[in-house]
């Protein structure tokens, strides 16, 4: 497989000849909102000393990850819409798949770390500062990025060894499984690796759910714990739901999608993962976390003045 010469074609948005300027405007607005919300929230957390706590540091990491993932899709797609040309060299395709899916994995690991942080804060408040110290936070942040990067690196290495027989990816962006399906060789090893990674993240999601169940049980006996849960854990739960459903739909449509299903359905499923979490999750945190909301409003007032 000569990755320097291979060129893939991507799905052309329906009606792109007539509506590509409308598509461009809509996606440019979405991308601008994603950049604004995540950069704003990250800057507020970095500049406000009162927010230099583990929960907000992990939230800042989540926002940085959303910015990282968004750059994997929006600039390329906006470029394609302008030129009305939906082609991509194989090395760029691999890079795009790496960025988008390592970002999705990093979101899951970060949400797991945030769930652990809330579990310690509510269930073991006296040990919180000793357990969630600078070294622990650093190790957890390293975990958030290392596992996705190693997983995707192994996936890319396995993908790179395959010979390609077809060159059309039936999606608006590149993803690993769509590229694997273009091969004319055995993909048993790739499939096994993908299932191992999927199983790991299913187990991670199960641990997060168990953690929140324990939190709910712990909150029954204390009004203070209920208040903490409502203020700080509810945004995490919404983020987890967003992440789980969007990744699930994307995985199912990529692997088990039927050619008889409407094309628009797969387009929507594919876009959910790169629109919903990076756009709505930061907004949920701003609206729900009192300290973040207060500091954000304060920053807005200072800028206006």
């Amino acid at each position: 497989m000569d990755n320097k010469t291979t060129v893939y074609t991507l799905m052309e948005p329906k009606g792109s000849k007539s509506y590509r300027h409308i598509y461009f405007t809509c996606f440019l607005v979405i991308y601008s909102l994603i950049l604004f919300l995540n950069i704003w929230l990250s800057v507020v957390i970095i500049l406000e000393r009162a927010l230099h706590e583990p929960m907000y540091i992990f939230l800042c990491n989540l926002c940085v990850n959303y910015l990282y993932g968004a750059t994997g899709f929006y600039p390329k797609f906006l470029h394609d819409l302008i030129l009305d040309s939906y082609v991509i060299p194989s090395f760029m395709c691999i890079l795009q798949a790496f960025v988008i899916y390592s970002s999705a994995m990093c979101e899951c690991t970060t949400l797991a770390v945030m769930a652990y942080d809330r579990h310690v804060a509510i269930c073991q408040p006296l040990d919180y500062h000793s357990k969630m110290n600078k070294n622990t936070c650093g190790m957890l942040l390293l975990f958030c990025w290392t596992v996705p990067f190693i997983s995707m690196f192994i996936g890319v290495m396995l993908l790179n060894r395959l010979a390609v027989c077809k060159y059309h990816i039936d999606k608006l962006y590149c993803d690993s499984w769509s590229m694997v399906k273009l091969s004319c060789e055995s993909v048993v090893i790739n499939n096994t690796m993908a299932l191992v990674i999927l199983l790991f993240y299913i187990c991670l999601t199960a641990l997060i759910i168990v953690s929140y169940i324990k939190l709910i049980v712990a909150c029954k006996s204390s009004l203070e714990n209920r208040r903490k849960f409502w203020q700080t854990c509810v945004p995490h739960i919404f983020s987890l739901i967003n992440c789980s459903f969007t990744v699930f739909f994307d995985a199912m449509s990529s692997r088990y999608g039927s050619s008889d299903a409407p094309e628009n359905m797969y387009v929507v499923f594919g876009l959910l993962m790169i629109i919903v979490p990076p756009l709505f999750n930061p907004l949920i945190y701003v609206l729900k976390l009192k300290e973040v909301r207060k500091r954000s409003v304060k920053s807005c007032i200072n800028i206006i003045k």
Side-chain angles (χ1 to χ4, degrees), residues 46 71 106 129 147 154 173 176 185 197 230 234 273 279 287:
I46 291 170
T71 58
C106 184
H129 291 292
V147 173
I154 294 172
Y173 56 88
S176 301
E185 297 183 12
I197 294 172
W230 179 252
V234 170
M273 188 176 70
L279 184 60
L287 295 175

Side-chain angles (χ1 to χ4, degrees), residues 155 158-159 162-163 175-185 187 190-191:
L158 292 175
L159 176 64
L162 299 175
D175 72 279
S176 301
W177 186 247
S178 293
M179 296 174 72
V180 167
K181 289 192 293 186
L182 300 180
S183 173
C184 49
E185 297 183 12
V187 296
N190 300 71
N191 197 37

Side-chain angles (χ1 to χ4, degrees), residues 10-11 13 23-24 27 72-82 86 96 172-173 271:
L10 298 171
M11 175 191 286
Y23 290 155
F24 178 85
F27 279 94
F73 170 73
Y74 289 95
K76 174 65 174 70
F77 186 59
L78 292 172
H79 173 268
D80 289 348
L81 288 171
I82 289 175
Y86 306 92
Q96 185 178 56
L172 296 176
Y173 56 88
L271 291 176

Side-chain angles (χ1 to χ4, degrees), residues 44 48 50-51 53 55-56 231 285-286 288-298:
V44 168
E48 292 290 342
L51 299 180
E53 297 179 10
M55 178 176 70
Y56 303 113
Q231 287 185 348
Y285 282 107
V286 170
K288 196 72 187 82
L289 293 179
K290 182 180 177 182
E291 283 299 319
V292 173
R293 186 174 65 251
K294 184 170 68 175
R295 304 289 172 176
S296 298
V297 172
K298 179 184 173 183

Side-chain angles (χ1 to χ4, degrees), residues 25-252:
T25 303
C26 292
F27 279 94
L28 180 61
V29 169
I30 292 171
Y31 185 41
S32 300
L33 286 173
I34 288 172
L35 291 178
F36 173 76
L37 286 171
N38 287 282
I39 291 175
W40 181 268
L41 191 50
S42 299
V43 170
V44 168
I45 292 171
I46 291 170
L47 296 181
E48 292 290 342
R49 284 187 171 273
L51 299 180
H52 290 182
E53 297 179 10
M55 178 176 70
Y56 303 113
I57 291 171
F58 297 140
L59 175 56
C60 182
N61 183 68
L62 195 64
C63 292
V64 171
N65 175 60
Y66 287 144
L67 292 171
Y68 161 71
T71 58
F73 170 73
Y74 289 95
K76 174 65 174 70
F77 186 59
L78 292 172
H79 173 268
D80 289 348
L81 288 171
I82 289 175
L83 299 181
D84 195 27
S85 175
Y86 306 92
V87 297
I88 185 169
S90 60
F91 70 92
M92 285 295 295
C93 195
I94 290 173
L95 179 61
Q96 185 178 56
F98 184 96
V99 171
I100 291 175
Y101 284 88
S102 62
S103 175
M105 292 179 190
C106 184
E107 181 184 6
C108 294
T109 50
T110 303
L111 290 174
V113 166
M114 294 171 83
Y116 172 73
D117 171 74
R118 291 299 84 203
H119 182 271
V120 175
I122 293 176
C123 297
Q124 304 169 16
L126 298 178
D127 299 327
Y128 181 72
H129 291 292
S130 62
K131 285 193 173 185
M132 299 302 295
N133 53 43
K134 289 183 179 180
N135 290 335
T136 304
C137 288
M139 292 298 292
L140 290 173
L141 287 174
L142 187 64
F143 167 77
C144 290
W145 290 94
T146 302
V147 173
F149 271 48
I150 291 176
S151 300
M152 283 305 301
F153 180 77
I154 294 172
V156 165
M157 291 299 101
L158 292 175
L159 176 64
N160 206 46
R161 68 184 178 82
L162 299 175
V164 176
C165 296
K166 294 174 284 186
Y167 302 94
H168 178 69
I169 295 174
D170 202 23
K171 215 167 183 180
L172 296 176
Y173 56 88
C174 296
D175 72 279
S176 301
W177 186 247
S178 293
M179 296 174 72
V180 167
K181 289 192 293 186
L182 300 180
S183 173
C184 49
E185 297 183 12
S186 172
V187 296
V188 174
I189 297 176
N190 300 71
N191 197 37
T192 303
M193 181 61 192
L195 290 175
V196 169
I197 294 172
L198 182 61
L199 182 61
F200 171 80
Y201 278 95
I202 289 174
C203 292
L204 199 63
T205 304
L207 287 174
I208 298 173
I209 294 171
V210 170
S211 175
Y212 281 124
I213 291 173
K214 292 179 70 175
L215 281 174
I216 293 171
V217 172
C219 290
K220 284 184 177 180
S221 59
S222 169
L223 180 62
E224 178 66 17
N225 284 348
R226 285 199 295 271
R227 185 185 64 81
K228 282 184 181 179
F229 181 86
W230 179 252
Q231 287 185 348
T232 63
C233 294
V234 170
H236 301 334
I237 293 174
F238 277 117
S239 297
L240 178 63
I241 292 171
N242 277 340
C243 176
S244 300
F245 276 95
T246 53
V247 171
F248 174 78
F249 283 131
D250 179 78
M252 291 301 103

